[in-house]
Amino acid sequence: MDIANLMKAIGVKMTPFEVAQGITVYIKLPSVSKYSECSDPYKTIFYCVVDEEGKQIFDSAEQIENKVDMTVQVKLNQEISRLFVEAMNIEDVESK
């Protein structure tokens, strides 16, 4: 088995998202252990929005709540929600 191909198929995906012209962040769905911590919009953004290397951008959920414009918060949450729905689409999962 080719491990590189396996990891390419099942590894962590990062989806680019342009928050403003020329400014791109990446959406990475949380690990199973962090999923339960995505209990509100601010924590969801905190755990799911990363830089091009996969590192968290924000210092805390409170930073997002207090310092990120509401329109940007809504756009980020909508994109994260879209990716969650897409990732959990059972019909797209192949089974044998």
Side-chain angles (χ1 to χ4, degrees):
M1 174 179 289
D2 185 343
I3 299 298
N5 281 340
L6 174 64
M7 290 312 296
K8 186 175 182 181
I10 68 170
V12 174
K13 310 283 187 280
M14 293 194 327
T15 305
F17 184 74
E18 189 171 74
V19 292
Q21 188 168 349
I23 301 176
T24 301
V25 297
Y26 294 82
I27 309 262
K28 178 180 86 171
L29 296 181
S31 64
V32 173
S33 63
K34 295 295 180 193
Y35 177 74
S36 65
E37 295 184 40
C38 294
S39 57
D40 65 49
Y42 312 113
K43 288 180 183 176
T44 301
I45 292 170
F46 175 68
Y47 286 112
C48 295
V49 177
V50 298
D51 66 13
E52 63 276 354
E53 296 177 4
K55 296 178 184 171
Q56 288 179 294
I57 293 174
F58 301 104
D59 295 327
S60 67
E62 292 77 21
Q63 179 187 31
I64 297 160
E65 182 177 7
N66 297 318
K67 299 199 177 199
V68 175
D69 187 77
M70 185 197 72
T71 60
V72 175
Q73 292 174 14
V74 170
K75 288 176 185 178
L76 287 169
N77 270 302
Q78 286 176 334
E79 183 65 7
I80 293 166
S81 294
R82 185 189 72 75
L83 291 171
F84 266 115
V85 168
E86 188 178 286
M88 299 304 167
N89 189 350
I90 301 300
E91 294 172 3
D92 289 345
V93 176
E94 294 183 84
S95 63
K96 291 188 177 189

